[in-house]
Amino acid sequence: MDVNAAVAAAAAIAGLCTGVIAVLAFRWSEREQKRPTRTSLHTDAVLPPGVDTVLSVLRSSAVVLDESDSVVKASSAAYALGLVRGGKLAVEPMLHMARDTRRDGEIRQVELDLPRRGSGRGEALAVSARVAPLGSRLVLLLVEDLTEARRIEAVRRDFVANVSHELKTPVGALSLLSEAVMDASDDPEAVMRFAGRMQIEATRLTNLVQELIDLSRVQNDDPLEDSEPVRVDELVAEAIDRSRHTASTKQITMAAGGTADLSIWGSRGQLAAALGNLVENAVNYSPARTRVGISARRVSAPGGDLIEIAVTDQGIGISEKDRERIFERFYRVDPARSRATGGTGLGLAIVKHVAASHGGEVTVWSSEGQGSTFTLRLPEAGAARDRSTTTGPDRVDEDDDRHYGIDSPDQNSEIPAPEVLP
């Protein structure tokens, strides 16, 4: 009995000790949880009230530094740009700006070019950095990405320069020819010859102005505002009729074929202009007594059936290096030949914009000396209409274009050239 009592007493004492230890451990844990950590001090106690919320809604990349240059707060955009790494500001010039601002309290701003993360092509990010004091110990850094804005400005600047050059050429020619007409006023034959040249230059100037207007219209207009089902055979007939005279002069046969009764949902005027430009180019750049074919068919695609309209010629073809740039504004494969044919270098740019704004694309297959095939791929009427009612119109803007607009990842895809139908 004495042994059992001793064992029971020892067990009771051990249980009491265990309970006391558990209570003390629980109290210590609660106290530790209530104690502010370094992270909470940085994000809650250090930042002034409301600053965290303001920084989260800013479009600019935001970084807050403390007196030791450690990052207290950084937006996700700052991490995406590579400004913050390992809890530190990774851009040395910005770090120097922050230290200077912390020392004298002055607001500083600078534009920098930063290496793009994950790119081995030497591309740089253009950013504008602004540093300002935030309270007594913190510094706020706001960084805005200017890369896209600079690219757009370069595109517009080059566009203006090219337009000026293209307009200057026919205007200068008209001025010289008018002087020649005045000097040859007593020579009717010379006057007729110079007047014919003036008419050619005036036509070229008119075409250039009209295509500039067309390009501006397809870039700014919403093709779905006046959309309707457009029959493909009507578009093909209109495009053939547009180039019939030139083709007849060069004895070029134009043949149409493919699947009948196809329709596209979109702007009739824009679609007619795009297909007309493709057929006109095929005729202009084909030698005499050759053939230009236009074929249409329906193809299956994951998002719905597509209508393919292919324009095939037996012309001079396009080299691989030129295929990368033919959709740029004012780019010509053969500038001398373009002057002879009256080309402005804007036709394919218009085609690309129309295709993209209608949710499609234009691709090219070509072989030098054998000819080219330009293929328009556009959603079929029913699928395109259903898509527009659920997702809204697909827009394309010149700011999305590379070079002078319009490079697509698969614009040079090697699609087989369709057979020209008799």
Side-chain angles (χ1 to χ4, degrees), residues 71-380:
V71 175
V72 176
K73 180 73 177 179
S75 64
S76 58
Y79 286 99
L81 287 178
L83 303 179
V84 178
R85 297 176 189 172
K88 294 289 185 180
L89 185 62
V91 183
E92 199 67 25
M94 295 181 187
L95 188 58
H96 290 317
M97 288 174 56
R99 291 170 179 170
D100 294 340
T101 296
R102 185 185 301 112
R103 184 178 62 254
D104 55 26
E106 293 186 5
I107 298 175
R108 290 175 168 82
Q109 184 169 353
V110 68
E111 293 188 1
L112 300 170
D113 290 332
L114 306 179
R116 190 186 297 269
R117 294 184 63 185
S119 174
R121 295 179 294 176
E123 297 178 350
L125 289 172
V127 299
S128 174
R130 186 177 179 87
V131 181
L134 184 64
S136 59
R137 294 184 298 148
L138 303 181
V139 173
L140 172 63
L141 172 67
L142 296 178
V143 180
E144 184 177 357
D145 189 355
L146 303 178
T147 308
E148 188 66 12
R150 284 192 179 180
R151 188 189 68 82
I152 293 170
E153 182 60 30
V155 167
R156 290 175 177 170
R157 185 170 55 250
D158 292 343
F159 180 71
V160 171
N162 280 314
V163 168
S164 301
H165 174 74
E166 295 296 331
L167 290 174
K168 181 180 177 181
T169 301
V171 170
L174 287 172
S175 176
L176 292 175
L177 289 169
S178 64
E179 292 179 6
V181 168
M182 293 178 63
D183 293 339
S185 57
D186 56 347
D187 187 350
E189 185 176 343
V191 169
M192 290 293 296
R193 185 171 66 254
F194 292 140
R197 291 288 305 278
M198 290 177 67
Q199 189 173 16
I200 293 174
E201 295 299 333
T203 301
R204 179 177 300 164
L205 182 60
T206 301
N207 292 338
L208 175 58
V209 173
Q210 184 59 51
E211 291 203 342
L212 285 171
I213 294 172
D214 292 342
L215 180 61
S216 176
R217 181 180 296 117
V218 299
Q219 288 180 179
N220 297 324
D221 289 355
D222 184 353
L224 298 182
E225 286 184 355
D226 57 348
S227 294
E228 58 180 329
V230 182
R231 291 177 57 87
V232 174
D233 52 0
E234 293 178 358
L235 292 176
V236 172
E238 187 174 338
I240 291 176
D241 188 63
R242 171 176 166 177
S243 301
R244 190 181 304 278
H245 176 72
T246 305
S248 175
T249 302
K250 299 174 67 175
Q251 299 181 10
I252 292 176
T253 302
M254 291 190 292
T259 307
D261 298 327
L262 300 177
S263 296
I264 302 170
W265 183 264
S267 169
R268 180 183 181 85
Q270 290 190 18
L271 294 171
L275 185 58
N277 284 344
L278 290 180
V279 175
E280 187 175 21
N281 277 356
V283 172
N284 287 339
Y285 288 91
S286 293
R289 293 178 294 278
T290 55
R291 177 176 294 183
V292 171
I294 306 100
S295 63
R297 64 172 181 166
R298 180 188 293 109
V299 295
S300 299
D305 290 347
L306 298 177
I307 303 301
E308 279 190 357
I309 308 174
V311 179
T312 305
D313 64 59
Q314 298 172 329
I316 59 176
I318 306 170
S319 66
E320 184 176 356
K321 66 179 182 67
D322 287 322
R323 287 201 300 270
E324 297 178 356
R325 301 188 60 189
I326 55 173
F327 292 103
E328 296 178 21
R329 300 171 195 164
F330 299 112
Y331 185 81
R332 300 183 179 93
V333 175
D334 185 352
R337 185 176 179 86
S338 295
R339 285 194 296 270
T341 59
T344 63
L346 291 174
L348 292 179
I350 293 173
V351 173
K352 192 70 175 184
H353 271 289
V354 171
S357 66
H358 283 75
E361 64 176 352
V362 58
T363 58
V364 58
W365 173 93
S366 186
S367 178
E368 289 186 86
Q370 298 184 21
S372 306
T373 296
F374 287 85
T375 303
L376 270 173
R377 292 191 183 96
L378 299 167
E380 195 173 12

